[in-house]
Amino acid sequence: MVDLVRSTVPPIHPAGLPFVGGALGVALLGRRKRWVRAAGLTAAAACAGFFRHPPRTPPSRPGVVVAPADGQVTLIDEAVPPAELNLSDEPLPRISIFLSLFDAHVQRAPVAGEVITVKYKPGQFLSADKAEASENNERNSIWLRTADGHDVVAVQLAGLLARRIVCNTHPGAHLALGETYGLIRFGSRLDTYLPKGSVIGVEIGQRAIGGETVLAELPGEPNTGSPE
């Protein structure tokens, strides 16, 4: 029975435990009042669902970029990566994934590689599905470099309801493909910047599964640009 529960009920990301615990505490303290107990249990269930951390199996073939989060592909274009990373001013292929309240909100490494830079930038809390959110919203960017020398950037963007970006990695760390490195609370967006020549494998409107859906194939020749 324990194994069955573990295989069907996703675990909760540690960042969500205080929210679930707080809601259960309300239910316990208000157990003699039906509406308080019901509200506490409902809130606990909602938080457990929001902060779920389902296991994922990344593709085994080399040279792929996977979705850094669950959600809907809302934008495929070219744009200059966040200025605080001090990368080139040349526009790069970009894929944006919008996370609704009902998506799992953990973030996963789009490629396996070394974390070159992590940069946080405060900003506004516009709706994350708006194009201007990439430039104006609070964000946290990580620059990853693969063993083959390809540079890939993943940007956590806070949204209209999001007020907290969690990032658990640092420069010099090595992330496996699809490894969880962060979380955004209550609605957000993930932008992935790819090397020139990458072959896009998704379409606008497509649902992406973090750590599993292949966003793109990396180009054959690596980018040999040096870190900042």
Side-chain angles (χ1 to χ4, degrees):
M1 180 62 71
V2 174
D3 290 339
L4 177 61
V5 171
R6 287 177 176 173
S7 64
T8 56
V9 179
I12 299 173
H13 190 279
L17 295 178
F19 293 87
V20 176
L24 289 176
V26 170
L28 179 62
L29 292 174
R31 61 186 180 278
R32 294 182 180 178
K33 295 184 178 180
R34 180 179 300 177
W35 71 271
V36 176
R37 184 175 68 249
L41 292 175
T42 300
C47 288
F50 179 85
F51 288 103
R52 66 191 183 277
H53 187 192
R56 296 288 163 76
T57 303
S60 58
R61 71 181 188 274
V64 298
V65 180
V66 299
D70 293 6
Q72 185 177 41
V73 177
T74 56
L75 182 67
I76 300 175
D77 65 357
E78 290 198 352
V80 176
E84 58 270 21
L85 293 176
N86 293 322
L87 287 166
S88 169
D89 291 336
E90 180 183 15
L92 297 174
R94 176 179 64 176
I95 301 175
S96 296
I97 295 176
F98 176 73
L99 293 73
S100 75
L101 281 173
F102 303 103
D103 289 308
H105 273 60
V106 294
Q107 279 81 63
R108 304 171 190 269
V111 292
E114 180 183 0
V115 178
I116 303 299
T117 301
V118 178
K119 294 289 185 180
Y120 168 79
K121 183 179 182 297
Q124 302 178 44
F125 297 97
L126 303 173
S127 179
D129 60 350
K130 295 183 178 297
E132 57 266 30
S134 290
E135 180 62 30
N136 298 326
N137 280 24
E138 175 180 319
R139 64 181 181 241
N140 187 75
S141 306
I142 67 168
W143 168 7
L144 286 162
R145 176 164 291 168
T146 71
D148 292 331
H150 292 294
D151 291 329
V152 175
V153 172
V155 183
Q156 298 168 288
L157 285 159
L160 186 63
L161 299 178
R163 288 296 185 272
R164 181 76 168 93
I165 293 176
V166 177
C167 181
N168 298 318
T169 192
H170 56 84
H174 289 264
L175 299 179
L177 181 66
E179 179 180 348
T180 300
Y181 74 87
L183 176 144
I184 312 176
R185 295 176 186 166
F186 308 117
S188 49
R189 171 174 157 183
L190 262 292
D191 285 351
T192 305
Y193 294 83
L194 307 166
K196 281 283 189 181
S198 297
V199 180
I200 307 297
V202 292
E203 299 178 348
I204 292 177
Q206 180 176 336
R207 292 286 304 175
I209 299 176
E212 293 187 354
T213 300
V214 174
L215 293 185
E217 302 273 352
L218 292 170
E221 292 298 326
N223 181 346
T224 55
S226 59
E228 60 180 327

